[in-house]
Amino acid sequence: MGRILVGMLVGLVLVFGSVACGSGDNAYVKDNKVLLESLPVPTDAERVSVTSAPYYKYETNIVEGYTTNAVYRVAPETTDEDVISFYIDALGDSWKHCRDEIGIMNPVPAGATPSPPLGKILLASFVRDGATVSVNTDGLHPTTFVGTYGVGVDHNAREDLCTGEDLR
Protein backbone atom coordinates (compact mmCIF):
# COMPACT_ATOMS: atom_id res chain seq x y z
CA MET A 1 0.00 0.00 0.00
CA GLY A 2 2.85 2.39 0.89
CA ARG A 3 4.52 1.92 -2.52
CA ILE A 4 1.26 2.57 -4.33
CA LEU A 5 0.70 5.76 -2.34
CA VAL A 6 4.26 6.95 -3.01
CA GLY A 7 3.82 6.12 -6.71
CA MET A 8 0.59 8.07 -6.86
CA LEU A 9 2.18 11.06 -5.10
CA VAL A 10 5.17 11.04 -7.46
CA GLY A 11 2.77 10.85 -10.40
CA LEU A 12 0.74 13.80 -9.09
CA VAL A 13 3.88 15.87 -8.52
CA LEU A 14 5.04 15.16 -12.08
CA VAL A 15 1.65 16.02 -13.60
CA PHE A 16 1.09 19.18 -11.58
CA GLY A 17 4.73 20.17 -11.86
CA SER A 18 4.63 19.97 -15.64
CA VAL A 19 1.40 22.01 -15.73
CA ALA A 20 2.70 24.64 -13.31
CA CYS A 21 6.13 24.95 -14.96
CA GLY A 22 4.84 24.62 -18.50
CA SER A 23 5.79 21.67 -20.64
CA GLY A 24 6.92 23.72 -23.63
CA ASP A 25 5.19 24.56 -26.87
CA ASN A 26 1.95 22.89 -27.84
CA ALA A 27 1.64 20.99 -31.13
CA TYR A 28 0.14 23.99 -32.95
CA VAL A 29 3.07 26.25 -32.00
CA LYS A 30 5.57 23.50 -32.84
CA ASP A 31 4.06 23.25 -36.35
CA ASN A 32 4.31 27.05 -36.67
CA LYS A 33 7.98 26.87 -35.69
CA VAL A 34 8.60 24.19 -38.33
CA LEU A 35 7.10 26.57 -40.91
CA LEU A 36 9.18 29.47 -39.58
CA GLU A 37 12.40 27.41 -39.74
CA SER A 38 11.64 26.44 -43.35
CA LEU A 39 11.61 30.07 -44.49
CA PRO A 40 14.65 31.73 -46.04
CA VAL A 41 16.34 34.55 -44.12
CA PRO A 42 18.57 37.27 -45.60
CA THR A 43 22.25 36.50 -45.00
CA ASP A 44 22.80 39.63 -42.88
CA ALA A 45 19.74 39.02 -40.67
CA GLU A 46 20.07 37.85 -37.07
CA ARG A 47 17.04 36.44 -35.25
CA VAL A 48 16.62 38.25 -31.93
CA SER A 49 13.35 36.78 -30.67
CA VAL A 50 10.55 34.31 -31.33
CA THR A 51 7.19 34.53 -29.57
CA SER A 52 3.82 32.87 -30.01
CA ALA A 53 0.39 34.14 -29.05
CA PRO A 54 -3.11 32.65 -29.26
CA TYR A 55 -5.97 34.04 -31.28
CA TYR A 56 -9.59 33.33 -30.48
CA LYS A 57 -12.79 32.31 -32.23
CA TYR A 58 -14.87 35.35 -33.01
CA GLU A 59 -16.51 36.77 -29.89
CA THR A 60 -15.44 33.87 -27.64
CA ASN A 61 -12.60 33.00 -25.32
CA ILE A 62 -11.91 29.73 -27.18
CA VAL A 63 -8.39 29.52 -28.61
CA GLU A 64 -8.63 28.88 -32.34
CA GLY A 65 -4.94 28.93 -33.17
CA TYR A 66 -1.60 30.62 -32.60
CA THR A 67 0.64 32.97 -34.50
CA THR A 68 4.39 32.67 -34.13
CA ASN A 69 6.44 35.81 -34.69
CA ALA A 70 10.17 36.22 -35.21
CA VAL A 71 12.06 39.51 -35.07
CA TYR A 72 15.26 39.90 -37.10
CA ARG A 73 17.95 42.56 -36.80
CA VAL A 74 19.59 43.64 -40.07
CA ALA A 75 22.46 45.90 -41.11
CA PRO A 76 21.66 49.64 -40.86
CA GLU A 77 21.81 50.08 -44.63
CA THR A 78 19.11 47.42 -45.21
CA THR A 79 15.88 49.03 -46.39
CA ASP A 80 12.28 47.95 -46.06
CA GLU A 81 12.18 47.41 -49.82
CA ASP A 82 15.27 45.14 -49.58
CA VAL A 83 13.49 42.90 -47.08
CA ILE A 84 10.15 42.76 -48.93
CA SER A 85 11.88 42.06 -52.26
CA PHE A 86 14.01 39.34 -50.65
CA TYR A 87 10.96 37.41 -49.42
CA ILE A 88 8.99 37.85 -52.65
CA ASP A 89 11.96 36.56 -54.67
CA ALA A 90 12.98 33.81 -52.22
CA LEU A 91 9.48 32.37 -51.73
CA GLY A 92 8.77 32.60 -55.45
CA ASP A 93 5.65 31.50 -57.23
CA SER A 94 4.93 28.62 -54.83
CA TRP A 95 3.39 31.19 -52.43
CA LYS A 96 0.61 33.56 -53.48
CA HIS A 97 1.57 37.02 -52.22
CA CYS A 98 0.41 40.59 -51.93
CA ARG A 99 2.09 43.80 -50.86
CA ASP A 100 0.56 46.52 -48.75
CA GLU A 101 1.49 49.90 -47.31
CA ILE A 102 0.27 51.42 -44.06
CA GLY A 103 0.57 55.15 -43.50
CA ILE A 104 2.49 56.44 -40.48
CA MET A 105 0.40 59.15 -38.84
CA ASN A 106 1.02 61.64 -36.06
CA PRO A 107 -1.56 61.36 -33.29
CA VAL A 108 -4.01 64.27 -33.20
CA PRO A 109 -6.71 65.24 -30.72
CA ALA A 110 -10.23 64.03 -31.41
CA GLY A 111 -11.90 66.19 -34.03
CA ALA A 112 -8.63 67.72 -35.27
CA THR A 113 -7.61 67.47 -38.90
CA PRO A 114 -4.98 64.75 -39.35
CA SER A 115 -1.64 65.77 -40.78
CA PRO A 116 -0.35 64.15 -43.96
CA PRO A 117 1.27 60.71 -43.45
CA LEU A 118 4.90 60.78 -42.32
CA GLY A 119 5.63 57.83 -44.57
CA LYS A 120 4.52 54.28 -45.25
CA ILE A 121 5.32 50.91 -43.69
CA LEU A 122 5.81 48.17 -46.29
CA LEU A 123 4.20 44.79 -45.66
CA ALA A 124 4.03 41.54 -47.61
CA SER A 125 1.72 38.60 -47.02
CA PHE A 126 2.07 35.09 -48.40
CA VAL A 127 -0.45 32.22 -48.53
CA ARG A 128 0.01 28.56 -49.46
CA ASP A 129 -2.02 25.46 -48.57
CA GLY A 130 -3.75 27.14 -45.62
CA ALA A 131 -0.53 28.55 -44.19
CA THR A 132 0.25 32.26 -43.99
CA VAL A 133 3.45 34.25 -43.66
CA SER A 134 3.50 37.99 -43.06
CA VAL A 135 6.52 40.29 -43.26
CA ASN A 136 6.34 43.64 -41.43
CA THR A 137 9.08 46.22 -41.95
CA ASP A 138 7.92 48.87 -39.48
CA GLY A 139 11.30 48.82 -37.72
CA LEU A 140 13.13 49.76 -40.94
CA HIS A 141 11.30 52.97 -41.86
CA PRO A 142 13.29 56.13 -41.04
CA THR A 143 10.46 57.45 -38.84
CA THR A 144 10.22 54.27 -36.76
CA PHE A 145 13.74 52.85 -37.33
CA VAL A 146 15.07 50.31 -34.83
CA GLY A 147 16.89 48.12 -37.37
CA THR A 148 14.50 45.18 -37.22
CA TYR A 149 11.70 43.55 -39.18
CA GLY A 150 9.21 40.85 -38.24
CA VAL A 151 7.96 37.63 -39.76
CA GLY A 152 4.69 36.12 -38.51
CA VAL A 153 3.52 32.62 -39.40
CA ASP A 154 0.45 30.47 -38.94
CA HIS A 155 0.54 26.95 -40.40
CA ASN A 156 -3.29 26.63 -40.25
CA ALA A 157 -4.54 30.17 -40.68
CA ARG A 158 -8.13 31.28 -40.33
CA GLU A 159 -8.06 33.65 -43.30
CA ASP A 160 -6.11 34.61 -46.39
CA LEU A 161 -4.13 37.73 -45.48
CA CYS A 162 -4.37 39.01 -49.05
CA THR A 163 -8.08 38.53 -49.75
CA GLY A 164 -9.66 38.06 -46.32
CA GLU A 165 -11.23 34.81 -47.52
CA ASP A 166 -11.82 32.01 -45.02
CA LEU A 167 -9.15 29.29 -45.29
CA ARG A 168 -10.85 26.73 -43.07
Side-chain angles (χ1 to χ4, degrees), residues 14-136:
L14 290 175
V15 168
F16 287 114
S18 68
V19 170
C21 297
S23 55
D25 294 334
N26 66 34
Y28 198 106
V29 171
K30 286 179 183 175
D31 287 344
N32 279 354
K33 287 184 175 181
V34 168
L35 172 57
L36 182 64
E37 292 300 325
S38 75
L39 298 175
V41 178
T43 54
D44 71 336
E46 173 192 5
R47 186 182 299 167
V48 294
S49 69
V50 176
T51 58
S52 294
Y55 58 88
Y56 300 87
K57 288 187 185 248
Y58 295 112
E59 299 183 20
T60 73
N61 63 354
I62 299 169
V63 174
E64 186 172 14
Y66 292 80
T67 57
T68 299
N69 302 288
V71 175
Y72 297 90
R73 182 169 315 289
V74 291
E77 63 274 6
T78 303
T79 68
D80 50 1
E81 186 61 48
D82 293 338
V83 171
I84 296 298
S85 294
F86 170 83
Y87 281 95
I88 289 172
D89 293 344
L91 294 178
D93 293 334
S94 67
W95 289 81
K96 178 178 81 172
H97 78 273
C98 59
R99 291 174 56 122
D100 202 0
E101 298 176 349
I102 298 175
I104 303 169
M105 307 296 288
N106 269 328
V108 296
T113 303
S115 62
L118 301 172
K120 294 181 180 177
I121 303 294
L122 297 182
L123 309 168
S125 299
F126 302 85
V127 180
R128 181 177 72 184
D129 300 329
T132 59
V133 174
S134 59
V135 180
N136 180 338

Side-chain angles (χ1 to χ4, degrees), residues 117-164:
L118 301 172
K120 294 181 180 177
I121 303 294
L122 297 182
L123 309 168
S125 299
F126 302 85
V127 180
R128 181 177 72 184
D129 300 329
T132 59
V133 174
S134 59
V135 180
N136 180 338
T137 63
D138 64 345
L140 296 176
H141 189 276
T143 307
T144 57
F145 186 83
V146 292
T148 62
Y149 73 92
V151 175
V153 302
D154 186 349
H155 79 279
N156 187 28
R158 174 191 301 155
E159 68 182 42
D160 183 318
L161 298 173
C162 294
T163 65

